[in-house]
Amino acid sequence: MNKGKVYLVGAGPGDPKLITVRGLEALKRSDVIVFDRLAGPQLLNHARPDAERIYVGKLPDRHTMKQEEINQLLVDLALQGKTVIRLKGGDPTVFGRVGEEADLLQKNGILFEIIPGITSAIAVPAYAGIPVTHRDLASSFSVITGHESPDKLDHSIYWDKVTNATGTLVFLMGVAKIDYISEQLIKHGRSPATPVALVQWGTRAEQRTLVGTLEDIADKVKAAGLKPPAVIIVGEVVHQRETLSWIENKPLFGQRVLVTRARSQASELLARIDDLGGETYEFPVIETRLPQTEEAAEAIRNAFAQAESYDWVILTSVNGVEYFFAWLDRFEIDIRRFHKAKFAAVGPKTAEALAIRGIRADLLPESYRAESLLQSLDSLLSPGQTALLPRGDLARETLPKELKERGIAAEEIDVYETILSAPRDLWLPDMLENGEIHVITFTSSSTVVNLLEALRRLGVQNPAEALKDIEIACIGPVTARTAEENGLKVTIVPEKSTIDGLVEALVDKRRSAKGE
Ligand code: SAH
């Protein structure tokens, strides 16, 4: 059997977008992912659905896997012919023990690549508005471990030299030793007034920054109960934060927002939340796909055979548009065969999806629900006309029913079907329990039902109870009603049932919670 290959990859400091392009490519192509706590679980969404995921970090019922065991695991997997990615927090060469992993691979004749990552030593200060070097304030920086026992620190760190290096000192793994570290620096000649910052969980929603001086920082850390992981920055650059702090000022900073959408649709909502400083937590609960049965295809083929006869094509969602065109393509049908039809689109996104395919909707209802489509259609429809309604299998019945009542022959075709995504994210129950999810967004009734079902499948016995302290944001009244019926307490419903409206409502809620 061919030997596999191992990619030793830096995942970045926590924000899943801070992985390199090369690292992401390796992740997408690997058969097995070996990862731990500092490499965020969200990155795994990029892995192939069938890729094996092996967590080697700490679990409540198990100790962290020993380094030697991890080294051997990588060898064993590669010897089975697998492409393996070892994801490590930050950069693998900065206190990442990549040397030991690579060494054993090399001894076993296994190919490996080391793909650097953005180390927390620079990224975490940057997210707190602290550049590690500065033209006037620091012309060098040192990255130092604080992890060793004090005796060993004395042996492996030349405190006299470190202390008097010209520039910024960055300590990793130093929270527990902050009193010892500051003591040493003062003892060897740094001024007790030297500014110090600790940044906990940098680049994540939990990011928290504490600023002090060498003299008082240890007490402040104790008083604040600040726990690892944190980066400690010592030097004048810390003051830069007063003007350069950036992400911490964004309206959704500190909020981890679980986005439950169909995988193919989440991108816009995710981008907006990200832009506003929130941390998105993608949890796809719905997948759409082409209907699988021969009957479904036949029904669509028959409808398309009469393309020339329709007076209206009414599209009620972006999915509807996309799958409608997918079927046209599959049956090799030219859209111009619908030459007689006017196009109606419910909602601006649906209209946009049509527009990029060269069709400007003839009718755009004022509000985004099927009921208002009917109102605006009323003056344009006349009995005896025919309308084609390409939609999903879960579409509501209102529209076709009322069209029929108005004497319109409405032909519905299920151009896509909705299925529950298999939950692959095993962390969510723990995160919910630990209060690490602050907001959940629901953009349709099926996202509500499916999230609750996904949680049950992940072993959460009473999902509504597990979500009781979380802000529940629903895109509109229909979704909100479903949520309430399922025992959730809905706290956010925008006036306008659009992604923009939803995002605005999230910001308003956050502002009022902060008393702004
Ligand atoms: N290879 C990693 C460092 C591993 S040592 C890197 O390059 O970043 C682990 C230490 O890194 C932690 O104790 C903490 O000091 C620091 N660290 C990693 N991620 C962090 C984060 N998101 N916020 C604060 N500190 C972090």
Side-chain angles (χ1 to χ4, degrees), residues 12-14 38 88-96 118-121 124 171-175 199-204 228-232:
L38 285 178
K88 289 167 154 307
D91 180 87
T93 68
V94 178
F95 307 129
I118 301 184
T119 177
S120 62
V124 168
F171 290 88
L172 302 188
M173 300 177 278
V175 181
V199 187
Q200 183 193 34
W201 282 124
T203 80
R204 309 190 3 149
V231 170
I232 304 169

Side-chain angles (χ1 to χ4, degrees), residues 371 374 397-408:
E371 288 80 355
L374 276 168
E397 292 307 316
T398 330
L399 185 57
K401 206 170 118 237
E402 306 223 339
L403 282 170
K404 277 173 197 150
E405 279 166 14
R406 286 166 170 75
I408 310 292

